[in-house]
Structure formats: structure tokens, C-alpha cells
Amino acid sequence: MAKGRGLPTAGNRVQRRKAPGRCGQVGIFSRLQMAFVGGAKMEWICQRCHRESISQPFFRPGLLVICLVVVFTMVMYPALRTLGFQLHSALTGSYIPGHHSILLINCPNEQIARGIGRILMEGKLAASINIFPESSIMYYWKGEIQDATEILLLAQTRTSKVQKLIEKVKSVHPYDIPQILSFPVEYGSLPYLKWIDEAVPAD
């Protein structure tokens, strides 16, 4: 009856002595495994840092090249845009809206209008100049309504020349704030638009 109630026997004593040994072996194995995993992880981190330290000097020149390409593209954009228009028109025979522009310029009299028109023509800034008859105009100036007569001048040119044309008009116009309005051409007679290109050379 004593043995049935679980009194220690020789077999039980042997098993109890071996149990701690197995636990110790498992603990040692776990610590070795953790050490191995930790060592492998540290080695991977060191290799990655080494690769990054090697690739960093090569990355900086690459970034510099990208920045230079972006700046060059921004500076050369007007010329590239004009070249793109020419290539597209030559290959497809179609017109790209906005390649040409019409400008309206007000002048106090016909003599000044003719003078400004001739300056623009001689500077190759406009292919043609239309001078309309004298007309009446009402406008605000310094808080008061003014009545006057003016001559309207119409200039046809490349869109790439609009800014230079505006600067030239402002430099010779008698008004402090002349009316200079630009409108892009959406479409028109292709032979006529080609003639504008021939009369106004590209930049």
C-alpha cells in the first residue's frame, strides 16, 4: 500500500535526478541559440552599415547630376518648347494651339502707333501690324472717369516673342501704364501661320 501511494522508488529517484539535467541542457541550448541569432543579426547590421558607407559617396554625385539636369531643363525650357512645336508640326502637319499670339496695344494717336509699329517690325518682334481708326474710350485714372480718343494697334507674332515685345513697347510708349494685352491663337490658316514663323525668327 505504501508503494501504491507514491512513495519514492529507485526508478522515481533516478528520474528526479535526471529531470534537472535535461532542463539545464535545454537552457544551455536556448542560450547558445540566442547567442547565435544575436551574432548573426549583429553581423547583418554591420554588413548593411558597411554597404551604406560605401554607397554614400556614390549617391552624392548622383544627386548632384540629377539637380544639374533639372536646372538645365528649366533654363532651356523655352528653346525646347519651340523645338517641340517645330518637330510636331513637321511630323504631323498640324498646328499646336498657342504657338502664335495677337497683341492689342493702345496709342494716343496714329503717329505714335506707326512709330511703335515700325520699331516692332524692325526688331523682328512682329510679323505684321494693324492700325485701327481712331475710336473713343472711357477709363478710370486716379479715381476719376476719363474720356479720350485712341488708336488701337494689333501685332501678330510668335508666342515666344511676346515678353520681348511687351518690354520694347513699354520702353517707347508715352503712357505710364499702356494697354498691352496678349491672346494666344488657337487655330488658323496654316500657310499664314507658317509665314509668321518665317517673318519672326525663333530665339
Short mmCIF file of all heavy atoms in Angstrom, two decimals, residues 91-124:
data_model
loop_
_atom_site.label_atom_id
_atom_site.label_comp_id
_atom_site.label_asym_id
_atom_site.label_seq_id
_atom_site.Cartn_x
_atom_site.Cartn_y
_atom_site.Cartn_z
N LEU A 91 6.26 66.78 -88.38
CA LEU A 91 5.93 65.36 -88.49
C LEU A 91 4.45 65.12 -88.77
O LEU A 91 4.10 64.21 -89.52
CB LEU A 91 6.34 64.63 -87.20
CG LEU A 91 7.85 64.58 -86.92
CD1 LEU A 91 8.12 63.95 -85.56
CD2 LEU A 91 8.58 63.79 -88.01
N THR A 92 3.60 65.91 -88.16
CA THR A 92 2.15 65.67 -88.29
C THR A 92 1.46 66.62 -89.25
O THR A 92 0.35 66.34 -89.70
CB THR A 92 1.47 65.77 -86.91
OG1 THR A 92 1.61 67.12 -86.41
CG2 THR A 92 2.12 64.82 -85.91
N GLY A 93 2.09 67.74 -89.56
CA GLY A 93 1.45 68.72 -90.43
C GLY A 93 0.31 69.46 -89.77
O GLY A 93 -0.47 70.13 -90.44
N SER A 94 0.18 69.36 -88.46
CA SER A 94 -0.91 70.02 -87.73
C SER A 94 -0.38 71.22 -86.96
O SER A 94 0.83 71.41 -86.81
CB SER A 94 -1.59 69.04 -86.77
OG SER A 94 -0.65 68.57 -85.82
N TYR A 95 -1.30 72.02 -86.45
CA TYR A 95 -0.94 73.22 -85.70
C TYR A 95 -1.16 72.99 -84.21
O TYR A 95 -2.18 72.42 -83.81
CB TYR A 95 -1.79 74.41 -86.17
CG TYR A 95 -1.50 75.68 -85.40
CD1 TYR A 95 -0.33 76.39 -85.61
CD2 TYR A 95 -2.40 76.16 -84.45
CE1 TYR A 95 -0.06 77.54 -84.90
CE2 TYR A 95 -2.15 77.32 -83.74
CZ TYR A 95 -0.97 78.01 -83.97
OH TYR A 95 -0.71 79.15 -83.27
N ILE A 96 -0.21 73.44 -83.40
CA ILE A 96 -0.33 73.34 -81.95
C ILE A 96 -0.88 74.66 -81.42
O ILE A 96 -0.26 75.71 -81.61
CB ILE A 96 1.03 73.03 -81.30
CG1 ILE A 96 1.55 71.68 -81.80
CG2 ILE A 96 0.90 73.01 -79.78
CD1 ILE A 96 2.90 71.30 -81.25
N PRO A 97 -2.06 74.66 -80.79
CA PRO A 97 -2.63 75.92 -80.29
C PRO A 97 -1.69 76.64 -79.34
O PRO A 97 -1.02 76.03 -78.51
CB PRO A 97 -3.90 75.44 -79.56
CG PRO A 97 -4.24 74.13 -80.19
CD PRO A 97 -2.92 73.50 -80.54
N GLY A 98 -1.64 77.95 -79.50
CA GLY A 98 -0.82 78.78 -78.61
C GLY A 98 0.57 79.07 -79.12
O GLY A 98 1.33 79.78 -78.46
N HIS A 99 0.93 78.55 -80.30
CA HIS A 99 2.28 78.79 -80.83
C HIS A 99 2.44 80.23 -81.28
O HIS A 99 3.56 80.76 -81.29
CB HIS A 99 2.55 77.84 -81.98
CG HIS A 99 3.93 77.96 -82.56
ND1 HIS A 99 5.06 77.90 -81.79
CD2 HIS A 99 4.36 78.15 -83.83
CE1 HIS A 99 6.13 78.03 -82.55
NE2 HIS A 99 5.73 78.19 -83.79
N HIS A 100 1.34 80.88 -81.66
CA HIS A 100 1.37 82.29 -82.06
C HIS A 100 0.43 83.09 -81.17
O HIS A 100 -0.46 82.53 -80.53
CB HIS A 100 0.94 82.44 -83.53
CG HIS A 100 1.82 81.70 -84.49
ND1 HIS A 100 1.56 80.40 -84.88
CD2 HIS A 100 2.96 82.06 -85.13
CE1 HIS A 100 2.49 80.00 -85.72
NE2 HIS A 100 3.36 80.97 -85.88
N SER A 101 0.64 84.40 -81.16
CA SER A 101 -0.18 85.28 -80.31
C SER A 101 -0.49 86.57 -81.04
O SER A 101 0.26 87.00 -81.95
CB SER A 101 0.55 85.60 -79.00
OG SER A 101 0.67 84.44 -78.19
N ILE A 102 -1.59 87.19 -80.62
CA ILE A 102 -2.01 88.51 -81.11
C ILE A 102 -2.02 89.47 -79.93
O ILE A 102 -2.53 89.12 -78.86
CB ILE A 102 -3.40 88.44 -81.76
CG1 ILE A 102 -3.34 87.61 -83.04
CG2 ILE A 102 -3.93 89.84 -82.05
CD1 ILE A 102 -4.69 87.40 -83.69
N LEU A 103 -1.44 90.65 -80.11
CA LEU A 103 -1.38 91.64 -79.03
C LEU A 103 -2.14 92.89 -79.42
O LEU A 103 -2.05 93.34 -80.58
CB LEU A 103 0.07 92.00 -78.69
CG LEU A 103 0.89 90.91 -78.01
CD1 LEU A 103 1.64 90.07 -79.04
CD2 LEU A 103 1.86 91.49 -76.98
N LEU A 104 -2.89 93.44 -78.47
CA LEU A 104 -3.59 94.71 -78.65
C LEU A 104 -2.89 95.78 -77.83
O LEU A 104 -2.69 95.62 -76.62
CB LEU A 104 -5.05 94.58 -78.23
CG LEU A 104 -5.91 93.56 -79.00
CD1 LEU A 104 -7.32 93.53 -78.46
CD2 LEU A 104 -5.91 93.89 -80.50
N ILE A 105 -2.54 96.87 -78.49
CA ILE A 105 -1.78 97.96 -77.84
C ILE A 105 -2.49 99.27 -78.16
O ILE A 105 -2.75 99.58 -79.33
CB ILE A 105 -0.32 98.00 -78.36
CG1 ILE A 105 0.35 96.63 -78.17
CG2 ILE A 105 0.47 99.09 -77.66
CD1 ILE A 105 1.63 96.47 -78.95
N ASN A 106 -2.78 100.05 -77.13
CA ASN A 106 -3.43 101.34 -77.36
C ASN A 106 -2.37 102.44 -77.50
O ASN A 106 -1.30 102.42 -76.87
CB ASN A 106 -4.40 101.69 -76.24
CG ASN A 106 -3.70 101.91 -74.91
OD1 ASN A 106 -2.59 101.40 -74.69
ND2 ASN A 106 -4.34 102.65 -74.01
N CYS A 107 -2.67 103.41 -78.35
CA CYS A 107 -1.76 104.54 -78.60
C CYS A 107 -2.59 105.83 -78.62
O CYS A 107 -3.74 105.82 -79.05
CB CYS A 107 -1.03 104.37 -79.94
SG CYS A 107 -0.04 102.86 -80.04
N PRO A 108 -1.98 106.93 -78.22
CA PRO A 108 -2.76 108.18 -78.16
C PRO A 108 -3.11 108.75 -79.53
O PRO A 108 -4.12 109.45 -79.67
CB PRO A 108 -1.83 109.13 -77.39
CG PRO A 108 -0.47 108.57 -77.57
CD PRO A 108 -0.64 107.09 -77.65
N ASN A 109 -2.31 108.48 -80.55
CA ASN A 109 -2.61 108.97 -81.89
C ASN A 109 -1.96 108.07 -82.94
O ASN A 109 -1.17 107.18 -82.61
CB ASN A 109 -2.15 110.43 -82.07
CG ASN A 109 -0.68 110.60 -81.72
OD1 ASN A 109 0.19 109.94 -82.29
ND2 ASN A 109 -0.41 111.48 -80.76
N GLU A 110 -2.28 108.34 -84.19
CA GLU A 110 -1.79 107.48 -85.26
C GLU A 110 -0.29 107.58 -85.45
O GLU A 110 0.38 106.59 -85.77
CB GLU A 110 -2.51 107.85 -86.57
CG GLU A 110 -2.15 106.92 -87.73
CD GLU A 110 -2.93 107.23 -89.00
OE1 GLU A 110 -3.87 108.04 -88.93
OE2 GLU A 110 -2.59 106.65 -90.05
N GLN A 111 0.26 108.75 -85.26
CA GLN A 111 1.70 108.92 -85.44
C GLN A 111 2.49 108.04 -84.47
O GLN A 111 3.45 107.36 -84.86
CB GLN A 111 2.08 110.40 -85.23
CG GLN A 111 3.56 110.66 -85.45
CD GLN A 111 3.91 112.13 -85.24
OE1 GLN A 111 3.04 112.95 -84.95
NE2 GLN A 111 5.18 112.45 -85.38
N ILE A 112 2.10 108.03 -83.20
CA ILE A 112 2.79 107.20 -82.21
C ILE A 112 2.56 105.73 -82.51
O ILE A 112 3.47 104.90 -82.37
CB ILE A 112 2.31 107.56 -80.80
CG1 ILE A 112 2.79 108.97 -80.44
CG2 ILE A 112 2.82 106.53 -79.78
CD1 ILE A 112 2.30 109.46 -79.09
N ALA A 113 1.35 105.38 -82.95
CA ALA A 113 1.07 103.99 -83.29
C ALA A 113 1.97 103.51 -84.42
O ALA A 113 2.51 102.40 -84.38
CB ALA A 113 -0.40 103.84 -83.67
N ARG A 114 2.13 104.34 -85.46
CA ARG A 114 3.01 103.97 -86.57
C ARG A 114 4.47 103.87 -86.11
O ARG A 114 5.21 102.98 -86.56
CB ARG A 114 2.88 104.98 -87.70
CG ARG A 114 1.55 104.89 -88.44
CD ARG A 114 1.51 105.83 -89.64
NE ARG A 114 0.26 105.67 -90.37
CZ ARG A 114 0.04 104.74 -91.29
NH1 ARG A 114 1.01 103.87 -91.59
NH2 ARG A 114 -1.12 104.66 -91.92
N GLY A 115 4.88 104.75 -85.23
CA GLY A 115 6.25 104.71 -84.73
C GLY A 115 6.52 103.43 -83.94
O GLY A 115 7.56 102.76 -84.13
N ILE A 116 5.60 103.08 -83.06
CA ILE A 116 5.77 101.84 -82.28
C ILE A 116 5.72 100.62 -83.20
O ILE A 116 6.52 99.69 -83.06
CB ILE A 116 4.68 101.73 -81.19
CG1 ILE A 116 4.89 102.83 -80.14
CG2 ILE A 116 4.70 100.36 -80.54
CD1 ILE A 116 3.81 102.87 -79.08
N GLY A 117 4.80 100.63 -84.16
CA GLY A 117 4.71 99.50 -85.08
C GLY A 117 5.99 99.31 -85.87
O GLY A 117 6.45 98.17 -86.07
N ARG A 118 6.59 100.41 -86.34
CA ARG A 118 7.84 100.29 -87.10
C ARG A 118 8.98 99.77 -86.25
O ARG A 118 9.80 98.96 -86.71
CB ARG A 118 8.20 101.66 -87.70
CG ARG A 118 9.43 101.63 -88.60
CD ARG A 118 9.52 102.90 -89.41
NE ARG A 118 8.39 103.03 -90.33
CZ ARG A 118 8.33 102.44 -91.53
NH1 ARG A 118 9.34 101.66 -91.93
NH2 ARG A 118 7.30 102.61 -92.32
N ILE A 119 9.03 100.19 -84.99
CA ILE A 119 10.07 99.69 -84.08
C ILE A 119 9.94 98.19 -83.90
O ILE A 119 10.93 97.45 -83.91
CB ILE A 119 10.00 100.42 -82.73
CG1 ILE A 119 10.44 101.88 -82.89
CG2 ILE A 119 10.86 99.73 -81.68
CD1 ILE A 119 10.24 102.72 -81.65
N LEU A 120 8.72 97.72 -83.74
CA LEU A 120 8.50 96.28 -83.57
C LEU A 120 8.85 95.50 -84.83
O LEU A 120 9.42 94.40 -84.76
CB LEU A 120 7.04 96.01 -83.18
CG LEU A 120 6.57 96.61 -81.84
CD1 LEU A 120 5.09 96.30 -81.60
CD2 LEU A 120 7.41 96.08 -80.69
N MET A 121 8.52 96.06 -85.99
CA MET A 121 8.82 95.39 -87.25
C MET A 121 10.33 95.34 -87.49
O MET A 121 10.87 94.31 -87.90
CB MET A 121 8.11 96.10 -88.41
CG MET A 121 6.59 96.05 -88.34
SD MET A 121 5.93 94.41 -88.72
CE MET A 121 6.36 94.25 -90.44
N GLU A 122 11.00 96.44 -87.26
CA GLU A 122 12.45 96.48 -87.48
C GLU A 122 13.20 95.57 -86.52
O GLU A 122 14.25 95.03 -86.86
CB GLU A 122 12.95 97.92 -87.34
CG GLU A 122 12.48 98.83 -88.47
CD GLU A 122 12.90 100.27 -88.26
OE1 GLU A 122 13.40 100.58 -87.15
OE2 GLU A 122 12.74 101.10 -89.20
N GLY A 123 12.65 95.36 -85.33
CA GLY A 123 13.28 94.47 -84.36
C GLY A 123 12.89 93.01 -84.54
O GLY A 123 13.27 92.18 -83.71
N LYS A 124 12.17 92.70 -85.62
CA LYS A 124 11.73 91.32 -85.89
C LYS A 124 10.92 90.74 -84.72
O LYS A 124 11.00 89.56 -84.42
CB LYS A 124 12.93 90.42 -86.16
CG LYS A 124 13.76 90.81 -87.35
CD LYS A 124 13.02 90.58 -88.65
CE LYS A 124 13.90 90.86 -89.85
NZ LYS A 124 13.19 90.64 -91.14
#
